[in-house]
C-alpha cells in the first residue's frame, strides 16, 4: 500500500469521525502503520482511534465535580446519564458509586470509539493508576482486589451499558438524558463538528439537564445554547429554552479596507468593559490549559464578535506571554473596544516585525 493511499485512508477515517488533522499524531500513526505493514482498512481505523484519542483517566477525576453532583441527585427518579468518550469506564463507574451510595435509580450509557477500551470498561478491571485518588476505605468498598488488579464489584455494574460507537452517531439517535458527560472530547473534533455535537446534545438533554465538560474546558458558542452555573470553580452547563444561532465567521483580517471603528479618535478612549460577576467566574474557571488552547478560544470569541469576553480573557495571560499572537489579538480587541492599543501593538511588532498585518494596524492610527 503506497504512502499516498495510506494518507488518503487516514484522512477518510478522520473525516468519518470528524477528527481534526494533527501533524504529530498523524506522523505517529504513519510510523506505526509502516512498522505493521500490510494492515487492512479496519485495522488501520482501530490504530487511528487508539492513538488519536486520550485514554488516561482515573476514578473521581476532578474531585469538586463529584461533590457538586451529589447535591444534584436529590429527586426520587430514574436518572438517565450519557458518558461520551467514556474511555475505560472510570467516569461511568464513578457515577455508579455515587448513585448507589445515595440509593438512587439510574441508567448509564458509556460510549467510546475504541473497541479495546470498551472491552476493558465492560470487564471493570483496573490497575492502581486508575484508583490512585481513592483512599483505602473507598477501594475496599467499590473493588475486589486480585493480585495487582482492582475489579469493580458486581453491584456497581448494574444498569450500565457500554457501546463502541462514534459519539456523533449516539447523539443523533435521540433519547433523553438528565446529564451528558463530554469531558476532554471536543478537542479532537473540527469546529463544524463541535457546533453540530453541541446542538445535538442540547436536543437530547432534558429541560434543566446538565452538560459536563472537562475542568477549564470552554467553547464560546456554549453560551448561545446553555445557561451556566459555577460552583467551587466547576462550570455546569444547563439546558434551557435558548435557541442556537449557527454562525460561521472568519477572524477579521487586518487589511487596509477594514472598517475598524474609532481607531483615529485616540483621544476618546474608553475604559474596558468589565464582565458581570457570573461571566467573571466563568473566565476565572478557564484554567490549566495551554496558551494554544487560550488562543483557540479567543479566536472563536473574536469570530463571534464577543469582544468584551475575549478581551477580559486575554488580559489573564498577556502579561506573561511572549507569543506575538496574544499581543496582536489584544491590540485588535483594544481597537474594537476603543481602548489604547499602542502598547499591545508595539509589543506584537517587536515580537514579530515580519507580520504585515501588524503594520497595517499601525497605519490606521496615522
Amino acid at each position: 500500500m503506497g504512502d499516498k493511499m495510506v494518507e488518503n485512508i487516514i484522512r477518510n477515517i478522520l473525516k468519518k469521525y470528524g477528527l481534526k488533522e494533527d501533524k504529530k499524531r498523524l506522523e505517529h500513526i504513519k510510523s506505526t502503520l509502516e512498522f505493521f505493514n500490510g494492515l487492512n482498512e479496519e485495522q488501520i481505523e482501530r490504530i487511528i482511534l487508539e492513538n488519536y484519542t486520550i485514554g488516561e483517566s482515573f476514578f473521581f477525576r476532578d474531585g469538586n465535580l463529584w461533590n457538586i453532583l451529589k447535591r444534584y441527585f436529590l429527586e426520587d427518579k430514574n436518572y438517565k446519564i450519557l458518558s461520551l468518550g467514556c474511555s475505560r469506564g472510570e467516569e461511568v463507574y464513578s457515577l455508579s458509586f455515587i448513585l448507589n451510595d445515595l440509593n438512587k435509580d439510574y441508567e448509564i450509557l458509556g460510549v467510546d470509539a475504541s473497541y479495546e477500551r470498551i472491552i476493558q470498561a465492560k470487564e471493570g478491571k483496573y490497575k492502581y493508576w486508575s484508583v490512585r485518588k481513592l483512599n483505602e476505605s473507598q477501594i475496599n468498598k467499590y473493588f475486589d482486589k486480585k493480585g495487582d488488579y482492582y475489579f469493580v464489584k458486581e453491584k456497581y455494574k448494574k444498569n450500565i451499558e457500554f457501546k463502541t460507537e462514534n459519539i456523533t452517531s449516539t447523539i443523533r439517535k435521540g433519547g433523553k438524558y438528565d446529564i451528558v458527560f463530554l469531558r476532554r472530547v471536543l478537542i479532537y473534533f473540527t469546529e463544524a463538528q463541535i457546533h453540530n455535537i453541541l446542538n445535538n446534545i442540547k436536543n437530547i438533554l432534558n429541560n434543566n439537564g446538565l452538560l459536563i465538560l472537562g475542568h477549564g474546558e470552554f467553547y464560546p458558542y456554549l453560551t448561545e445554547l446553555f445557561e451556566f452555573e459555577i460552583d467551587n470553580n466547576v462550570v455546569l452547563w444547563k439546558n434551557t429554552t435558548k435557541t442556537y444561532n449557527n454562525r460561521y465567521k472568519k477572524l477579521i483580517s487586518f487589511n487596509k479596507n477594514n472598517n475598524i471603528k474609532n481607531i483615529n479618535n485616540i483621544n476618546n478612549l474608553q475604559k474596558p468593559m468589565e464582565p458581570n460577576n457570573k461571566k467573571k467566574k466563568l473566565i476565572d474557571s478557564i484554567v490549566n490549559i495551554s496558551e494554544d488552547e487560550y488562543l483557540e478560544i479567543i479566536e472563536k470569541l473574536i469570530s463571534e464578535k464577543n469582544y468584551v469576553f475575549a478581551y477580559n480573557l486575554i488580559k489573564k495571560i498577556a502579561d506573561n506571554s511572549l507569543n506575538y499572537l496574544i499581543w496582536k489579538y489584544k491590540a485588535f480587541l483594544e481597537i474594537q473596544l476603543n481602548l489604547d492599543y499602542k502598547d499591545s501593538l508595539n509589543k506584537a511588532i517587536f515580537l514579530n516585525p515580519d507580520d504585515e498585518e501588524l503594520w497595517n494596524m499601525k497605519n490606521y492610527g496615522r
Side-chain angles (χ1 to χ4, degrees), residues 97-192:
F97 298 159
I98 289 174
L99 288 160
N100 272 280
D101 288 347
L102 295 172
N103 198 27
K104 300 296 181 182
D105 295 323
Y106 63 91
E107 296 173 39
I108 308 173
L109 172 61
V111 176
D112 200 276
S114 167
Y115 174 79
E116 296 298 331
R117 289 175 195 151
I118 289 296
I119 292 295
Q120 292 177 56
K122 288 179 177 178
E123 189 176 10
K125 176 183 175 182
Y126 299 94
K127 294 182 179 179
Y128 176 74
W129 184 251
S130 292
V131 303
R132 67 189 186 275
K133 296 292 184 179
L134 305 183
N135 58 41
E136 187 175 350
S137 175
Q138 289 173 313
I139 290 174
N140 291 334
K141 182 178 184 179
Y142 301 130
F143 298 89
D144 291 319
K145 189 171 187 300
K146 300 174 184 177
D148 293 330
Y149 291 96
Y150 300 80
F151 292 82
V152 174
K153 291 183 177 180
E154 288 302 314
K155 68 176 288 188
Y156 300 110
K157 290 184 175 183
K158 294 177 181 178
N159 305 316
I160 289 174
E161 181 183 6
F162 288 105
K163 280 186 179 179
T164 304
E165 195 169 62
N166 182 348
I167 71 166
T168 56
S169 300
T170 303
I171 58 179
R172 282 198 299 264
K173 289 178 181 176
K176 287 290 186 178
Y177 296 92
D178 298 295
I179 304 179
V180 173
F181 281 77
L182 188 69
R183 298 199 289 171
R184 296 295 174 191
V185 175
L186 292 177
I187 56 175
Y188 303 112
F189 288 87
T190 63
E191 184 171 351

Side-chain angles (χ1 to χ4, degrees), residues 8-51:
N8 287 337
I9 290 172
I10 292 172
R11 287 195 168 87
N12 287 336
I13 292 169
L14 294 179
K15 186 177 180 180
K16 173 182 174 181
Y17 287 92
L19 298 169
K20 290 187 291 189
E21 288 192 20
D22 181 289
K23 287 184 179 179
K24 287 183 179 178
R25 285 192 180 93
L26 284 176
E27 288 305 315
H28 176 67
I29 289 166
K30 285 179 185 176
S31 63
T32 303
L33 296 180
E34 286 174 7
F35 184 78
F36 295 100
N37 196 20
L39 298 175
N40 59 39
E41 289 192 28
E42 184 179 344
Q43 291 168 320
I44 292 173
E45 181 170 318
R46 183 171 294 183
I47 287 173
I48 289 172
L49 293 175
E50 293 295 332
N51 287 275

Side-chain angles (χ1 to χ4, degrees), residues 78-89:
N78 185 41
Y79 288 93
K80 295 195 69 175
I81 302 170
L82 175 62
S83 173
L84 296 170
C86 70
S87 189
R88 298 178 178 91

Side-chain angles (χ1 to χ4, degrees), residues 239-333:
N239 196 19
T240 66
T241 55
K242 276 191 170 189
T243 56
Y244 181 51
N245 181 13
N246 190 10
R247 296 179 297 185
Y248 292 91
K249 297 185 181 72
K250 290 184 178 179
L251 184 63
I252 295 173
S253 176
F254 304 106
N255 59 58
K256 294 183 180 179
N257 296 321
N258 277 350
N259 180 23
I260 298 183
K261 60 183 181 181
N262 297 326
I263 193 161
N264 294 311
N265 193 2
I266 201 73
N267 295 318
N268 188 29
L269 297 175
Q270 300 174 356
K271 291 182 179 179
M273 296 173 64
E274 293 294 332
N276 60 37
N277 286 337
K278 194 174 180 183
K279 282 196 172 180
K280 187 176 185 302
K281 286 184 178 179
L282 180 58
I283 290 169
D284 291 341
S285 75
I286 303 171
V287 294
N288 298 327
I289 63 174
S290 68
E291 200 169 68
D292 285 344
E293 289 175 297
Y294 270 112
L295 278 170
E296 188 173 347
I297 292 171
I298 289 161
E299 287 171 355
K300 290 176 181 177
L301 287 167
I302 290 174
S303 73
E304 296 176 358
K305 297 189 177 179
N306 199 339
Y307 299 139
V308 174
F309 200 161
Y311 183 67
N312 282 282
L313 182 58
I314 207 167
K315 283 196 303 180
K316 283 183 63 176
I317 59 171
D319 287 343
N320 297 317
S321 177
L322 293 177
N323 186 331
Y324 91 96
L325 278 176
I326 294 290
W327 293 103
K328 177 178 179 177
Y329 292 162
K330 187 169 184 282
F332 171 76
L333 289 164

